């Protein structure tokens, strides 16, 4: 059955291009037309008893039919075109040199047919080849015919007018067909290109909308987290503050233990909220690294100070080993971020080690005078990490196993934050670990070195350091404090806190009120909450800085902030404030800041 199936549909497959489909259709219908034309020609020359022509027309008919059959069997349009062009060339030559021994309209038509067909089907090179192959003999014949009557020893057969009409007509039909067919195909091709580009444009619009939507939702998400964390931090601040106050009130032994647990849990919760907020900030690309002066030795001592106590509580030996070459250097960098990285690594080392030691090593690897490379390493003798988990522990919210969560708690965000903080600075973290033997986390960081002499400026470089060194006077002195704070719980907390130092602060419930109060009263220091209704802390500070009385305009202002924004330092200084404390603050730390600022202004 398949052998007799001559349908075109079975050879036109979907994956063919528009032009190739056109080529196959051209062959299919062109061959059919040729069969009809040749059939008519055959009859005509047969009836006129023209033997040679009958033979040729018959032979051609068989050949064309065979090609047609081959095409419907396998659509090898290239091979068939070559065969057809060879046949066409032979027919052309035989017509010119043998049958007609003349160049009339028919050989010219055949030549045109070959030209059109070869270019459309086989392209430039083959088109040129077959065109010349057919053109040359016609030209040569016309030139040579001057000298001969008959070209060869064969009397030309003269067909009657009807044969010529049939041949001319059939050839013209073929020429028109080939041309119109390809013209349509080219138009279709252009239309398809246009449609494709329109489709592409529509897709692009869809893409842009999707990206916009995703960006909006990620922005909404990060805003939500930001607001949430602020909302959570405010009551947490009160909880931690109240526990501090109660602990200062000489509680009973059992109360004191409960309060410590309360304070510890609230601090833990705060650390988690901070981690989530931090991670969110890093992920949304909102993090900017600072370039401020600090001394690495001081910073490392600060970070590890609290950790040493924790390690000792667990019976671990804690060793901090800092290269002496770093002692006199003042370097530029982001101490807050570096603290976060080292703190996380050291906390983990202590957390996941039950016996042995934790070694923190800081080495100056290269000193190029205006630039140093420092190697940091945190090594422990703890539970270690399985080789196959070495990558996953850096994924957010991932811990090594469920047992880890059960046994040690945590969110699994610490290392994710550390890794991203390093990667944003183009630094890679290295980990080597053996189960039950211990782990080592290490990385190298480059710092520009300040030209100034270290030792003397070392302390100035870090205001916190400076304050830590400052002598803490009896805080009971008669400080006049104005507190701008809208949250009643915080107000109560502050009042209680200051009452410990025998200070009665004045309270302003918003920024505008603070400015008003400042106009009438005199204060030594203002504690300014940043987020307040009516007028926020930034605007209020700017208003105060504009006051005509220099004593008022220069009053020290300390910002109180509940949000852990990274760029808060810049914002606070830009609004003319002197310093800031993040809620929940340590009472002593706040008092130190106040006293330092007041002392500076008075000097
Ligand atoms: P978390 O400490 O909150 O669990 P991290 O992202 O800091 O989250 O750490 C992810 C996991 O990596 C930890 O849960 C732990 O399984 C593993 N890990 C990190 N540091 C160490 C270490 N020093 N020793 C053993 N395991 C560690």
């Amino acid at each position: 059955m398949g052998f007799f199936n001559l349908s075109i549909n079975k050879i036109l497959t979907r994956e063919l291009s528009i032009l190739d489909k056109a080529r196959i259709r051209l062959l299919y219908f062109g061959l059919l037309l040729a069969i009809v034309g040749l059939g008519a020609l055959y009859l005509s020359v047969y009836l006129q008893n023209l033997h040679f022509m009958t033979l040729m027309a018959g032979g051609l008919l068989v050949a064309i039919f065979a090609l047609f059959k081959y095409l419907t069997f396998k659509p090898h349009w290239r091979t068939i075109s070559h065969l057809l062009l060879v046949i066409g060339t032979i027919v052309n030559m035989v017509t010119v040199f043998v049958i007609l021994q003349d160049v009339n309209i028919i050989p010219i038509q055949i030549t045109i047919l070959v030209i059109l067909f070869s270019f459309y089907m086989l392209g430039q090179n083959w088109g040129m080849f077959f065109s010349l192959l057919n053109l040359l003999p016609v030209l040569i014949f016309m030139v040579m015919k001057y000298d001969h009557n008959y070209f060869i020893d064969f009397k030309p057969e003269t067909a009657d007018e009807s044969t010529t009409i049939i041949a001319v007509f059939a050839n013209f039909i073929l020429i028109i067909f080939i041309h119109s067919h390809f013209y349509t195909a080219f138009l279709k091709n252009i239309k398809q290109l246009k449609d494709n580009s329109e489709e592409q444009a529509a897709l692009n619009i869809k893409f842009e909308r999707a990206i916009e939507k995703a960006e909006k939702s990620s922005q909404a998400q990060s805003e939500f987290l930001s607001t949430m964390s602020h909302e959570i931090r405010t009551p947490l601040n009160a909880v931690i503050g109240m526990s501090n106050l109660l602990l200062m009130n000489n509680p009973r032994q059992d109360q004191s233990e409960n309060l410590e647990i309360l304070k510890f849990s609230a601090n833990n919760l705060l650390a988690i909220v901070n981690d989530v907020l931090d991670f969110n900030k890093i992920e949304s690309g909102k993090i900017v690294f600072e370039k401020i002066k600090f001394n690495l030795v001081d910073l490392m001592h600060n970070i590890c100070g609290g950790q040493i106590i924790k390690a000792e509580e667990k019976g671990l030996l804690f060793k901090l080993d800092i290269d002496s070459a770093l002692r006199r250097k003042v370097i530029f960098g982001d101490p807050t971020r570096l603290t976060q990285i080292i703190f996380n690594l050291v906390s983990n080392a202590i957390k996941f080690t039950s016996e042995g030691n934790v070694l923190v090593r800081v080495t100056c690897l290269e000193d190029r005078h205006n630039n140093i490379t420092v190697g940091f390493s945190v090594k422990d003798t703890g539970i270690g990490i399985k080789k196959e988990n070495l990558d996953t522990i850096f994924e957010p919210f991932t811990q090594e196993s469920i047992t880890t969560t059960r046994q040690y708690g945590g969110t699994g965000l610490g290392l994710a934050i550390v890794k991203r903080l390093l990667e944003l600075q183009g630094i890679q973290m290295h980990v080597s670990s053996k189960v039950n033997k211990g782990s080592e986390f290490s990385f190298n960081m480059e710092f520009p070195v300040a030209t100034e002499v270290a030792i003397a400026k070392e302390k100035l470089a870090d205001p916190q350091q400076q304050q830590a060194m400052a002598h803490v006077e009896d805080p009971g002195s008669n400080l006049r404090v104005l507190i701008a704070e809208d949250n009643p719980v915080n107000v109560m907390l502050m009042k209680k806190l200051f009452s410990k130092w025998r200070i009665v602060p004045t309270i302003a419930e918003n920024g505008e009120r603070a400015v008003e109060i400042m106009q009438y009263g005199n204060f030594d220091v203002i504690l300014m909450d940043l987020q307040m209704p009516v007028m926020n802390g930034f605007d209020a500070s700017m208003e105060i800085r504009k006051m005509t009385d220099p004593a008022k305009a220069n009053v020290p202002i300390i910002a109180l902030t509940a949000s852990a924004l990274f760029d808060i330092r810049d914002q606070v200084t830009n609004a003319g404030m002197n310093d800031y404390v993040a809620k929940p603050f340590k009472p002593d730390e706040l008092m130190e800041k106040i006293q330092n600022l007041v002392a500076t202004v008075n000097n």
Side-chain angles (χ1 to χ4, degrees), residues 298-341:
D298 290 342
L299 187 77
M300 287 308 295
H301 279 291
N302 264 353
I303 303 171
C304 295
Q307 303 285 52
I308 292 173
I309 302 169
K310 267 199 214 160
E312 279 169 357
E313 273 169 11
K314 282 186 84 176
L316 303 174
L317 179 73
F318 190 102
K319 204 167 163 221
L320 173 59
D321 181 4
I322 310 179
D323 201 325
S324 57
L326 296 167
R327 199 168 296 149
R328 290 169 148 264
K329 287 201 162 32
V330 174
I331 56 176
F332 288 97
D334 192 331
T336 322
R337 297 291 139 211
L338 189 59
T339 304
Q340 206 175 359
I341 294 168

Side-chain angles (χ1 to χ4, degrees), residues 348 351-352 380 385 393 398-400 404 410-412 414-415 439:
N348 276 349
K351 186 159 121 183
F352 296 108
D380 63 56
I385 303 151
I393 54 164
T398 311
Q399 298 185 311
E400 210 199 340
T404 317
T411 52
L415 286 183
S439 321

Side-chain angles (χ1 to χ4, degrees), residues 216-273:
K216 264 193 196 148
S217 95
S218 113
Q219 201 182 340
Q221 183 200 347
S222 84
E223 270 164 21
F224 169 77
L225 277 175
S226 205
T227 321
M228 273 307 287
S229 81
H230 179 250
E231 296 303 314
I232 295 171
R233 285 168 64 99
T234 307
L236 259 183
N237 168 32
V239 173
I240 294 170
M242 284 295 176
S243 344
N244 275 334
L245 274 179
L246 290 172
L247 278 167
M248 284 160 91
N249 263 344
N250 299 326
R252 291 196 314 267
Q253 172 72 21
D254 59 324
Q255 283 176 330
S256 161
E257 275 167 18
N258 290 346
L259 282 172
E260 284 297 345
I261 293 172
L262 179 66
K263 195 175 138 189
F264 175 80
S265 308
N267 270 324
N268 244 357
L269 184 53
L270 189 69
I272 293 173
V273 172

Side-chain angles (χ1 to χ4, degrees), residues 9 11-18 21:
N9 293 332
I11 48 175
L12 281 181
T13 47
R14 268 168 167 271
E15 54 278 10
L16 286 170
S17 72
I18 283 191
K21 273 188 192 160

Side-chain angles (χ1 to χ4, degrees), residues 275 344-345 348-353 380 382-385 392-395 397-401 404-405 408-417 433 438-441:
D275 267 2
N344 262 307
L345 295 180
N348 276 349
I350 296 172
K351 186 159 121 183
F352 296 108
T353 308
D380 63 56
I383 57 169
I385 303 151
T392 48
I393 54 164
F394 290 102
E395 298 291 323
F397 306 105
T398 311
Q399 298 185 311
E400 210 199 340
S401 70
T404 317
T405 325
Y408 302 94
T411 52
L413 267 180
L415 286 183
I417 293 177
S433 186
S439 321
E440 180 175 8
F441 290 77

